[in-house]
Amino acid sequence: MKSENENEPVSLGAVTRRPCRSVEIVHGKRKVIVGGNAPVVIQSMTNTDTVDAIGTAIQVKELARAGSELVRITVNTPEAARAVPGIREHLDRMDIDVPLVGDFHYNGHTLLKEFPECAQALSKYRINPGNVGQGAKRDTQFAQMIEIAARYDKPVRIGVNWGSLDQGLLARIMDENAQRALPWSSQAVMYEALIVSALENAQRAEQLGLAGDKIILSCKVSGVQDLIAVYRELAQRCDYPLHLGLTEAGMGSKGIVASTAALAVLLQEGIGDTIRISLTPEPGGDRCREVIVGQEILQTMGLRKFTPMVIACPGCGRTTSTVFQELADDIQTFLREQMPVWKTAYPGVEAMNVAVMGCIVNGPGESKHANIGISLPGTGESPAAPVFVDGVKTVTLRGDHIAREFQDIVMKYVQSNYG
């Protein structure tokens, strides 16, 4: 790629992060930093009934082991609030030190006040300013939640959502817009209302005694272009850390594509300090999928490294056999399953690249570029699979046990090169 000056290549350097405050989220000895110069943090949310303390703790454990660095739980009833300390205790007994975030709507002021053990067991609160009360009660109930957060030294995400925007504030912004010589579009008015809600509530939280380095903001919407537009403007108007995510990304490939399209643009511009991929799981589907998608977005963009990446070709008429597809899936699953142990025993392994290719066209070349690569025979090719380690062919595998033998080679490479 060339710049306007033919002799000067275009710089494709690293992303420059937007400067912002740093917020610490703590449980015991575990400290997660959001903002500042810290890496982008991945979080998720349970979909269990919080009253089921054991079931919720198990799902939190699964999400944490998949790589979620913060896990949010619903706190919507007295029974749920009463269960929170028990959930924390179950997790601590399982050596799961992931910080828990309490998600509050409508009655959060009551629950935090009446259940101080819940307020203390959580490491962070999420407050939606559009759902803290109506009329005169709104300011009082918001203040009660902020004062409790300040008392227990808990960070707060002030999370505005266009599905539950403060209608009084929206009416005010609409009235102001009507006085303009050239009124904004209804879309621009909505964007402004979201941003003003976040900023005004953050300022009020500070006035109520919550430290500025205890506040994270979000303005979540469901449309890709809407999210990009809102966060670009919000990022220019404050220095609070920002949480990114479509409020309802959707199911399956639609949810993954929409989240990637929106977040990748903002992250490339240095906007975003923590993310959640709000996928709708298929019935009986794996809740951890949203964590993996978030990791893959950050890793493929070069922003973080979580697990060795598997490079695999899409297949074509040369690869009518499914052997390479099965091997790619097996090795990817194997690598991810090993990471809870490997990340401690073999630091740096998350940067490893593994190639599983299906035929001779690009197979050897791609395999040489990876740390370890295998080029399986395509249709009609010789039934042999050369293996390349750091660009050098080391062995050719044949027979019915190629998958197991290749996995052994990967394991030996990890043991020899990391740790």
Side-chain angles (χ1 to χ4, degrees):
M1 179 183 280
K2 296 285 184 180
S3 65
E4 292 180 3
N5 179 347
E6 264 186 19
N7 298 318
E8 184 180 331
V10 170
S11 173
L12 299 177
V15 171
T16 300
R17 295 279 300 282
R18 156 187 170 268
C20 68
R21 311 182 196 196
S22 175
V23 175
E24 294 183 356
I25 302 165
V26 179
H27 172 67
K29 295 182 179 179
R30 175 78 177 274
K31 181 187 297 183
V32 176
I33 300 176
V34 175
N37 294 318
V40 179
V41 171
I42 289 181
Q43 60 180 280
S44 59
M45 185 174 184
T46 59
N47 62 355
T48 55
D49 183 351
T50 307
V51 176
D52 177 7
I54 294 176
T56 300
I58 289 172
Q59 190 174 81
V60 172
K61 174 183 176 181
E62 292 169 349
L63 291 165
R65 289 198 166 173
S68 185
E69 294 155 309
L70 298 172
V71 178
R72 185 156 44 112
I73 61 176
T74 298
V75 188
N76 59 333
T77 64
E79 293 77 16
R82 194 176 289 114
V84 169
I87 293 169
R88 183 71 268 173
E89 290 172 8
H90 285 311
L91 291 168
D92 290 343
R93 282 197 294 268
M94 294 187 288
D95 292 326
I96 302 298
D97 59 357
V98 63
L100 290 178
V101 181
D103 192 59
F104 295 97
H105 297 266
Y106 310 114
N107 59 353
H109 61 290
T110 300
L111 298 178
L112 286 170
K113 178 182 178 181
E114 294 184 355
F115 298 93
E117 298 85 359
C118 168
Q120 294 178 71
L122 295 167
S123 297
K124 174 172 168 271
Y125 309 154
R126 187 271 180 144
I127 302 174
N128 181 344
N131 285 343
V132 295
Q134 300 297 323
K137 292 183 178 180
R138 182 199 172 280
D139 288 347
T140 300
Q141 292 170 183
F142 179 80
Q144 290 173 344
M145 298 179 76
I146 294 299
E147 287 164 359
I148 291 171
R151 183 188 312 158
Y152 294 122
D153 200 29
K154 304 293 185 179
V156 171
R157 171 160 70 94
I158 296 175
V160 182
N161 190 310
W162 75 347
S164 52
L165 187 58
D166 180 351
Q167 293 304 298
L169 183 144
L170 178 59
R172 190 190 91 200
I173 300 294
M174 291 174 68
D175 289 343
E176 292 172 357
N177 186 57
Q179 304 303 314
R180 297 179 189 277
L182 294 173
W184 295 348
S185 68
S186 59
Q187 184 182 52
V189 170
M190 176 64 77
Y191 292 170
E192 181 68 6
L194 287 163
I195 293 166
V196 169
S197 178
L199 296 177
E200 287 189 354
N201 281 285
Q203 291 162 7
R204 183 148 189 268
E206 290 201 56
Q207 292 167 0
L208 289 165
L210 187 65
D213 62 358
K214 295 291 183 183
I215 298 172
I216 298 169
L217 298 186
S218 67
C219 288
K220 297 180 80 172
V221 298
S222 296
V224 170
Q225 295 296 346
D226 297 315
L227 192 83
I228 293 169
V230 167
Y231 273 88
R232 280 174 171 166
E233 181 66 18
L234 179 61
Q236 292 181 5
R237 288 163 64 172
C238 74
D239 65 350
Y240 296 108
L242 302 180
H243 169 71
L244 300 186
L246 295 171
T247 189
E248 295 101 9
M251 181 178 284
S253 60
K254 183 269 176 186
I256 294 172
V257 170
S259 295
T260 305
L263 270 59
V265 171
L266 292 168
L267 291 167
Q268 186 64 28
E269 294 177 5
I271 299 170
D273 304 286
T274 175
I275 66 171
R276 184 196 170 197
I277 311 302
S278 299
L279 296 181
T280 303
E282 290 80 3
D286 186 359
R287 189 68 170 179
C288 295
R289 182 63 179 152
E290 66 176 52
V291 179
I292 295 170
V293 171
Q295 289 180 329
E296 290 174 345
I297 290 173
L298 295 179
Q299 186 151 352
T300 55
M301 291 185 69
L303 298 177
R304 289 192 67 181
K305 296 184 185 299
F306 297 96
T307 191
M309 295 291 285
V310 176
I311 302 159
C313 67
C316 65
R318 290 176 175 269
T319 57
T320 54
S321 168
T322 62
V323 173
F324 88 93
Q325 298 163 344
E326 293 163 358
L327 178 57
D329 183 60
D330 288 346
I331 198 68
Q332 184 163 274
T333 300
F334 169 73
L335 294 172
R336 188 166 288 280
E337 288 176 347
Q338 300 307 308
M339 280 309 296
V341 174
W342 282 4
K343 66 183 179 182
T344 301
Y346 304 109
V349 69
E350 62 274 6
M352 181 175 70
N353 288 321
V354 179
V356 179
M357 305 302 294
C359 77
I360 200 171
V361 173
N362 290 320
E366 285 283 0
S367 296
K368 290 177 182 177
H369 287 304
N371 296 108
I372 310 172
I374 185 169
S375 179
L376 292 162
T379 306
E381 293 178 10
S382 174
V387 175
F388 298 83
V389 176
D390 291 330
V392 178
K393 179 181 174 182
T394 59
V395 67
T396 299
L397 303 181
R398 295 180 174 84
D400 298 328
H401 305 293
I402 288 177
R404 188 184 66 203
E405 292 171 0
F406 184 62
Q407 186 171 299
D408 289 342
I409 292 170
V410 171
M411 188 68 217
K412 290 176 182 176
Y413 183 88
V414 170
Q415 293 170 338
S416 299
N417 290 273
Y418 301 97

